[in-house]
Every structure is written in C-alpha cells, then in structure tokens.
Amino acid sequence: MKLRWLAIFLCGLILTPSAKAELRIDVTGAMREPMPIAFPEMIHKGFFVGRYGSQIRNVVIADLERSGLFSVINERSYIQEFTSIDQEPIFIDWKALNAQALIQSSISEVDANTIRVEFRLWDVYSESQMKSQSFTTTKDNWRRVAHVMADAIYERLTGEKGYFDTRIVYVSETGPATKRIKRLAIMDQDGENHKFLTSGNAMALTPRFSPNLQKVTYMSYSGDTPRVYVLDIETGKQTLLGNFPGMTFAPRFSPDSSKVILSYANRGKTNIYEMDLQTKTSKQLTKSNAIDTSPSYSPDGSKIVFNSDRGGNQQLYVMNADGSDVHRISFGSGRYATPVWSPRGDYIAFTKMAGGQFYIGVMYPDGTGERLLASGYLVEGPTWSPNGRVLMYFRQDEGKRNATAPVKLYSIDLTGYNERQIITPADGSDPAWSPLLP
C-alpha cells in the first residue's frame, strides 16, 4: 500500500501537459536519451512454457535496446504484477517509474509442439492501448517470433518498419594474412543461427542478397579466373553467372531480382554490365577506358550509382538504368567507393578515403548533404538495414608488427550514433543485409 501511495505522489511530479500526445520516437532526429519502457515477465503457466517466455522476452529486449532508441526499466522496480493478459494496467504504478510505454505479454502451450504468444503495447501517459498482436507457432520457431514481436513494437513506437527479423550474409575470415581463408556465412541480424554457405576451398567476396531472399550473388576465385556466381541459399546450388571470358566482380541484384549488375574487366578496361537471369543475355551499360565498378540500383530500379576513376581518381557517379545520362555526384576531398542506395531511396551510403583515414558516410542522391558517420584505420563496405535507418560495415584497426588486426562487423544508425559490434565466430567482412523475412 505504501508503494501505491508513493506512486500516486510521484506521478503528480512527472505528468506533463503533453502526456495525451501520441507516443512516437523521431528516428531521424538528433541523438536523444532512449525511451524508457517497461516489459514485465511473460504471463505463463508451467515451467517449460515459462522458459520459452523468458527466452522470447530476452531477445525482444536485446533487439529494442540494441537499436539505441529504447531502454527497458529494471523489472525489480516494478510495482504491479500481471496474472492475466486481460488484466488492465494500473497506469499510476508505471508512471511512477517514468515508463513511457508498457509491454504486457503472455505465452501458453497449444500442444506439445506449439505455443501461442500474445502482447499488448500501452501508452502509459495517455493510458491507451497502442497495439495488440498474437502469434501461434512451433516451439523451435520461438526466436523468430521474438524478432517479429520486436519489429511490431519498434514500428508502432517509431512509425518506421523494423529490421530485427532479418539475416546477414558476410565473408567469414580465418588464418594468417598470407594464407587467408574467406568463405560465405549467414546469420540472423543479432548473430544467432550462424552457418557457413561455402567450404572455404575457394575465396569468396562481396556477397549480396536477392530481394526475394532465395539467392546470394558473389565473386568466387573458384577456377582460374575470379567470376560472379549465384548461390541458392536453400539448396546450396552454385551457378556461374554468364560466360564472360575475363574477370567479373562486384555483383548486385536488381530490385525485382530479375537481373544482376556487375563489373567486367577485359583488355585493361572495366565496365558495368547487366545480365538478365531468365534470358541469360547481357547488356553493357558503361563504355569507358577507366575502372567502373560497385554498381547499385535505386529502389525503383530506374537509376544506378557506381564508382569510377574516369575523372582521375575514384568518385561516385549516377546514371539511368540503361546507361544514359552519366553524371558525377561526389565532389568532396579524397576518394569514394562502394556506394549503395538506401532502400528508402533518400540516401546513398559510401566508403571514403581521405587524409590517411577511411570513413563511412551518406549523401543525398544528387551529391549534396554529405555526412560522415564512422571513421577508422579501415572502415568499409556499408550495407543498409531494410528500413534504411541503420548501416552495417566492417572495421579493422591498425595491426601490430607482424600481426594482422581482427576484422569485425559493426552497425551504426543514420544519425551517426549507437555504433555497435556484431559478434561473429571468426573475423567478418563484406556484410550484406537482407530484406525483412516473409
């Protein structure tokens, strides 16, 4: 009873006139303190189903907190205890903790192999329910349910699609610098469910997801000449892309997954080609005496950004999808490489080299508004989350004498804050972020 009266007193101190406004985080704004939210233990009956509930809750919390936008209040300070998903929150208790949002949830066993998860998201200050959703799934799918739940909460509180129910394909690196083994690996965006896609017998580089999620295109050193391949993730079948007599590299799928764009090096020139995956016909898009590479489509497929040294050093260029109207968009100091168009179409991310440093940056598609988000001895290879609000890339610090420094994956949000390492079993480079899973 004393705690309840204390809650009433404290509520009078923290309630503001704007409490009735819709609860929403601006993910595009400047860095701010994370939103405090409360997430009590999942309501359950029985030890074993309760264990699944604890695991799901822990993954949801990890997803939300890793975004840098939310901070889950320690459950030991909670006043109200829920015994049913239909039990109304005592909002005065949650206001006392300065919780702006409350996640109420339950888990139950449908049968020996199936569970049902339900949650309700509450706006504490307006005392209103923001979202309610339930999932019925097999027990071995509990981790995916947690990511889907986190996405739903993230979307309701930010107005942006989430990015937690996704996967990352990347290059796993092991061995000494003189004999490096590089093979493709895939994992959930939080590093779980890790598995290798290639054996490591041939070096693999620059993997890229198809938008329909079924395939990955990449460059492999299998055979005498490095070439582009397409790998079916489910079957493991690997197919050589095209019949180019020279080296092909830097592939990327079109937005509709029907084509692959790549660079083809032949007779001292490197140009960009597009290959239709159904007809197997190729089309040359650039015709220069320079090195044109790292092409990336705009989300609607109408334009392509790439880097080229046709002007003397590496800069970014944009052209129409048919190769017409090529124009330069980068004009800052230094060199630019590995451009990739945001899934939203509002930015182009890139790697920049200037003053002995590497940078990860973004600019508008017309080249204005350049901002540098991360820097280091080596930071390279940005890839976008499917909502276009987070970037992943790889980082390597300067190595000590006769030793190679570790290569690690990192993520950072579009504002340049919340840089976090993505844990991988071995060194990792060249990440590519999948769309949301269907």
Side-chain angles (χ1 to χ4, degrees):
M1 180 64 87
K2 288 182 179 180
L3 285 175
R4 184 63 41 77
W5 281 109
L6 177 60
I8 294 172
F9 172 74
L10 290 175
C11 177
L13 297 180
I14 60 178
L15 193 59
T16 65
S18 62
K20 296 296 183 181
E22 183 183 36
L23 187 61
R24 182 67 61 88
I25 293 179
D26 179 9
V27 297
T28 63
M31 177 63 177
R32 63 184 65 197
E33 289 297 317
M35 174 188 286
I37 60 177
F39 190 176
E41 180 183 356
M42 276 191 164
I43 301 160
H44 64 277
K45 292 181 180 180
F47 171 77
F48 290 106
V49 74
R51 185 178 61 181
Y52 281 108
S54 295
Q55 292 173 322
I56 291 171
R57 178 176 175 270
N58 289 339
V59 170
V60 174
I61 290 174
D63 281 347
L64 295 176
E65 291 193 329
R66 193 165 50 251
S67 75
L69 299 176
F70 307 97
S71 175
V72 178
I73 299 169
N74 193 308
E75 61 187 285
R76 287 178 292 185
S77 64
Y78 296 172
I79 301 169
Q80 182 182 13
E81 292 185 8
F82 290 104
T83 57
S84 167
I85 191 68
D86 297 317
Q87 184 179 349
E88 287 282 327
I90 302 173
F91 292 104
I92 200 76
D93 290 355
W94 302 105
K95 291 173 185 177
L97 304 177
N98 197 32
Q100 296 184 35
L102 167 67
I103 304 168
Q104 183 184 14
S105 61
S106 69
I107 183 170
S108 57
E109 194 172 51
V110 177
D111 55 41
N113 298 313
T114 312
I115 53 175
R116 184 175 188 271
V117 176
E118 184 177 356
F119 80 91
R120 297 178 182 179
L121 178 65
W122 298 89
D123 182 336
V124 172
Y125 288 113
S126 69
E127 301 186 2
S128 60
Q129 183 173 291
M130 302 180 71
K131 188 175 182 65
S132 176
Q133 195 167 355
S134 63
F135 313 91
T136 300
T137 187
T138 57
K139 290 179 179 178
D140 60 4
N141 199 40
W142 67 267
R143 179 174 287 277
R144 173 133 191 240
V145 165
H147 291 315
V148 173
M149 182 174 166
D151 278 332
I153 294 167
Y154 178 98
E155 181 176 358
R156 186 63 185 87
L157 291 175
T158 67
E160 303 276 354
K161 288 285 187 182
Y163 57 91
F164 306 119
D165 187 29
T166 56
R167 294 188 289 181
I168 305 294
V169 64
Y170 74 101
V171 176
S172 177
E173 301 189 19
T174 56
T178 55
K179 199 175 181 180
R180 202 72 164 155
I181 297 174
K182 297 187 178 185
R183 55 178 172 164
L184 300 190
I186 192 170
M187 62 184 179
D188 295 347
Q189 56 80 28
D190 60 356
E192 297 294 331
N193 293 324
H194 187 280
K195 68 176 183 179
F196 294 105
L197 297 177
T198 58
S199 65
N201 291 331
M203 184 181 295
L205 299 172
T206 62
R208 302 291 181 257
F209 268 109
S210 65
N212 64 14
L213 297 173
Q214 299 303 314
K215 298 177 181 179
V216 170
T217 185
Y218 65 102
M219 185 185 79
S220 174
Y221 279 75
S222 178
D224 297 331
T225 305
R227 291 183 178 178
V228 169
Y229 290 80
V230 173
L231 174 70
D232 188 299
I233 298 173
E234 301 304 323
T235 66
K237 182 181 179 180
Q238 177 180 276
T239 305
L240 177 65
L241 187 66
N243 189 28
F244 299 93
M247 175 180 176
T248 54
F249 57 101
R252 195 178 294 271
F253 283 96
S254 63
D256 63 0
S257 300
S258 68
K259 302 172 184 176
V260 168
I261 195 170
L262 52 81
S263 291
Y264 170 42
N266 187 33
R267 298 179 180 178
K269 302 175 185 178
T270 300
N271 282 290
I272 294 173
Y273 283 70
E274 181 182 70
M275 168 158 280
D276 189 298
L277 295 178
Q278 287 190 331
T279 65
K280 306 302 181 183
T281 58
S282 62
K283 177 183 178 182
Q284 184 174 350
L285 299 181
T286 64
K287 297 179 181 180
S288 75
N289 295 321
I291 298 175
D292 296 341
T293 188
S294 300
S296 171
Y297 289 96
S298 61
D300 63 3
S302 66
K303 295 184 181 298
I304 295 166
V305 62
F306 63 100
N307 67 258
S308 173
D309 63 356
R310 62 179 62 194
N313 66 344
Q314 282 178 287
Q315 298 293 331
L316 303 186
Y317 293 79
V318 168
M319 63 182 175
N320 293 331
D322 61 3
S324 63
D325 189 27
V326 178
H327 58 280
R328 178 175 164 179
I329 62 168
S330 63
F331 292 93
S333 61
R335 296 178 291 131
Y336 295 77
T338 65
V340 56
W341 222 301
S342 164
R344 299 169 61 95
D346 52 353
Y347 286 102
I348 290 171
F350 55 85
T351 301
K352 182 174 182 175
M353 297 142 279
Q357 285 275 101
F358 279 71
Y359 301 88
I360 299 295
V362 295
M363 65 173 64
Y364 296 125
D366 63 1
T368 62
E370 179 178 321
R371 290 188 293 117
L372 301 179
L373 308 180
S375 64
Y377 174 76
L378 175 62
V379 289
E380 194 173 359
T383 182
W384 290 96
S385 64
N387 69 353
R389 289 295 171 241
V390 182
L391 285 164
M392 191 176 292
Y393 54 94
F394 66 96
R395 172 187 292 276
Q396 183 178 32
D397 296 326
E398 188 172 5
K400 297 180 181 179
R401 186 175 181 181
N402 298 325
T404 301
V407 185
K408 301 297 180 183
L409 303 184
Y410 280 79
S411 66
I412 196 166
D413 66 33
L414 191 54
T415 65
Y417 292 92
N418 194 37
E419 185 178 44
R420 293 175 180 257
Q421 183 182 342
I422 311 300
I423 303 301
T424 53
D427 283 5
S429 62
D430 259 336
W433 213 318
S434 81
L436 283 170
L437 300 179

